[in-house]
Amino acid sequence: MNNNRVVITGLGVVAPNGVGLSDFIEALKQGKSGISFHQELADLKFSCQIGGIPTISDELKSKYFTDLQLRGFNSSGILYGCIAGIDAWKDAGFDSNPDSELDYDTGLIFGTGTSGVEKFREAIYKLDEGQVRRLGSTVVLQTMASGVSAYLSGMLGFGNQVTTNSSACTTGTEAVLMGFERIQNGKAKRMLVGSCSDHGPYVWGGFDAMRVMTYKHNDSPEEASRPMSATASGFVPGSGAGALVLESLESALERGAKIYAEVLGGEVNSGGQRQGGTLTAPNAEAVQRCITKAIQNSGVSSNDINVINGHLTATTKDGLEIENWTKALHRNGGNFPYINSTKSMVGHCLAAAGAIECVASVIQLNEQFVAPNINCEDLHPDIEDIVNREQIPTEKLNLNFDVIAKASFGFGDVNACVVFKKFN
């Protein structure tokens, strides 16, 4: 059995606070929020009338899609995913020539949650009006779950495994680990991995109905996403995409590629909605096991973890997540790693969250800083009881470190944790 080392050679991101790698890096360093008020949500009587939506101009779209592809195109998740994926592929030193040879050494695992909702709604109205012949030829492609993978593989010409995964908020982190294992086992040289999520009322409405989104900051959107804060009042919905090019170390060195970081390993599991776990709440034992196994599978010890990029959604479960980390690592107080939540700046990007946050984790590792937890000056007392306040920076922290752990915990009681290491 092969046991190839796997490195990251390309990154791409479409986030509410930055579209493109350079803008996103600066946003992370500056603690820039991408949350804004949306009149459409207010008109529809949402309790939460704010959200994180990336800014994509028509000019930018035309750099990735032909006029023919954009005709009748109305799927924000696929749009975000294709931009992030193509950016990551180019960042890795490849091009997106539509006439390129089929690449059997490269595959694609790109996840999503609910895909093409706006397009599906548009199709329903036309069908109800008896206009089936006016649906257009891309309705199926824009609304099927694997639509983003179908678009991307056609644009880039990948001939290895091409698929879409979907595991709620763990989707992006799970995709990274699926691609990692395929390269590690020698079944591919490269895998483009990531995830995306649509935006808008038809994706976010169910969460608003569940009362898990904040309603207290419609007039101050940039202060709304407050992971680990005593005044956190629910998550802020977001959208976008993150993408990473994973590559065998041998292949990367052979072509002289720049290397952002190494993927050491990870773990995916489920709490089975047992022992306190439900559709919406985690089984604490399973979460701790996921973290512990991820560290074991990565060949490091818990003391090697310098920084954590948590799931941390600004809900009542933030304290439990920190407690689970302390128990899994057997570290607390001032011995606990530095920890941050990218969601403080972008909101909860649902199926895209794991991928965007994996990109954020790799950026911090590569550039040697810890991004701030904005809106967390009033640390929740339950967290302050077990972790020193200094471990949760509210301003950018320059730090020489080697290992960062990224975890995602999703609806359905599913968990994923991946460990990245600075490449030497």
Side-chain angles (χ1 to χ4, degrees):
M1 179 178 176
N2 290 305
N3 195 25
N4 295 317
R5 291 174 66 182
V6 180
V7 295
I8 300 163
T9 56
L11 297 173
V13 64
V14 174
N17 65 342
V19 176
L21 202 54
S22 59
D23 285 353
F24 185 60
I25 290 172
E26 284 307 305
L28 288 179
K29 290 179 176 178
Q30 295 171 15
K32 177 184 174 183
S33 174
I35 308 302
S36 58
F37 174 79
H38 299 286
Q39 185 62 46
E40 180 185 21
L41 301 180
D43 293 342
L44 291 170
K45 296 181 171 55
F46 272 55
S47 297
C48 178
Q49 299 166 5
I50 58 178
I53 299 179
T55 302
I56 307 287
S57 66
D58 289 339
E59 182 182 3
L60 185 62
K61 291 179 189 177
S62 67
K63 293 180 179 179
Y64 296 84
F65 295 85
T66 66
D67 290 342
L68 183 60
Q69 287 173 323
L70 288 171
R71 187 181 301 165
F73 190 89
N74 190 21
S75 177
S76 57
I78 291 176
L79 174 72
Y80 301 151
C82 288
I83 292 173
I86 290 170
D87 280 357
W89 188 239
K90 289 181 176 179
D91 186 50
F94 300 102
D95 62 34
S96 56
N97 180 1
D99 298 321
S100 62
E101 292 291 321
L102 182 59
D103 182 357
Y104 286 109
D105 291 325
T106 304
L108 168 70
I109 300 174
F110 218 94
T112 189
T114 306
S115 185
V117 176
E118 291 286 349
K119 189 65 180 178
F120 198 67
R121 176 177 177 270
E122 177 187 316
I124 288 171
Y125 273 96
K126 286 184 177 178
L127 280 173
D128 287 347
E129 294 166 1
Q131 300 182 48
V132 65
R133 294 183 181 180
R134 297 188 61 187
L135 289 180
S137 60
T138 63
V139 168
V140 172
L141 189 56
Q142 288 189 58
T143 57
M144 68 184 190
S146 58
V148 63
S149 296
Y151 268 97
L152 268 173
S153 64
M155 289 170 158
L156 300 174
F158 294 163
N160 206 285
Q161 181 186 22
V162 170
T163 192
T164 291
N165 67 308
S166 186
S167 297
C169 313
T170 68
T171 298
T173 307
E174 180 185 72
V176 170
L177 288 170
M178 291 171 72
F180 162 78
E181 290 176 356
R182 191 161 182 84
I183 297 170
Q184 186 184 50
N185 294 334
K187 294 181 178 179
K189 286 185 179 180
R190 292 168 295 273
M191 295 294 293
L192 175 60
V193 299
S195 62
C196 60
S197 182
D198 285 17
H199 71 254
Y202 302 102
V203 178
W204 298 342
F207 297 105
D208 198 72
M210 290 172 67
R211 307 290 186 188
V212 293
M213 302 197 303
T214 182
Y215 61 89
K216 295 184 177 181
H217 296 276
N218 292 333
D219 295 327
S220 53
E222 294 184 357
E223 300 173 8
S225 188
R226 311 181 66 81
M228 297 181 284
S229 164
T231 49
S233 54
F235 76 78
V236 178
S239 57
L244 306 89
V245 175
L246 308 184
E247 188 166 0
S248 72
L249 176 59
E250 180 183 14
S251 171
L253 292 177
E254 187 178 88
R255 66 185 188 87
K258 70 172 179 286
I259 295 174
Y260 284 102
E262 182 171 2
V263 185
L264 293 184
E267 176 73 355
V268 176
N269 77 0
S270 169
Q273 298 168 49
R274 302 291 192 275
Q275 299 160 283
T278 68
L279 279 169
T280 58
N283 173 340
E285 180 183 306
V287 169
Q288 293 167 32
R289 179 183 174 85
C290 182
I291 295 167
T292 301
K293 292 290 290 182
I295 292 169
Q296 290 175 358
N297 294 341
S298 300
V300 296
S301 74
S302 63
N303 288 326
D304 292 322
I305 306 299
N306 307 119
V307 180
I308 297 166
N309 185 285
H311 186 60
L312 299 168
T313 57
T315 63
T316 57
K317 300 301 178 185
D318 284 4
L320 176 59
E321 180 177 337
I322 299 295
E323 181 183 349
N324 286 332
W325 279 105
T326 64
K327 290 180 177 179
L329 298 177
H330 302 289
R331 296 170 62 184
N332 56 25
N335 186 41
F336 192 73
Y338 292 104
I339 187 166
N340 64 9
S341 173
T342 308
K343 292 182 181 71
S344 66
M345 290 176 264
V346 301
H348 190 347
C349 296
L350 306 176
I356 292 172
E357 292 160 18
C358 279
V359 172
S361 300
V362 172
I363 287 168
Q364 291 174 84
L365 181 60
N366 183 65
E367 303 220 355
Q368 296 286 277
F369 73 96
V370 181
N373 295 282
I374 68 172
N375 305 319
C376 190
E377 291 76 15
D378 58 336
L379 184 62
H380 197 287
D382 289 350
I383 297 174
E384 197 166 11
D385 284 344
I386 54 175
V387 173
N388 284 12
R389 180 180 290 270
E390 291 76 16
Q391 309 312 114
I392 304 172
T394 55
E395 295 183 359
K396 172 178 169 281
L397 175 69
N398 293 320
L399 182 72
N400 293 320
F401 71 103
D402 289 323
V403 180
I404 186 169
K406 166 65 205 155
S408 298
F409 311 115
F411 272 27
D413 200 9
V414 290
N415 313 303
C417 181
V418 60
V419 179
F420 303 113
K421 186 177 188 296
K422 182 179 178 182
F423 179 73
N424 297 309

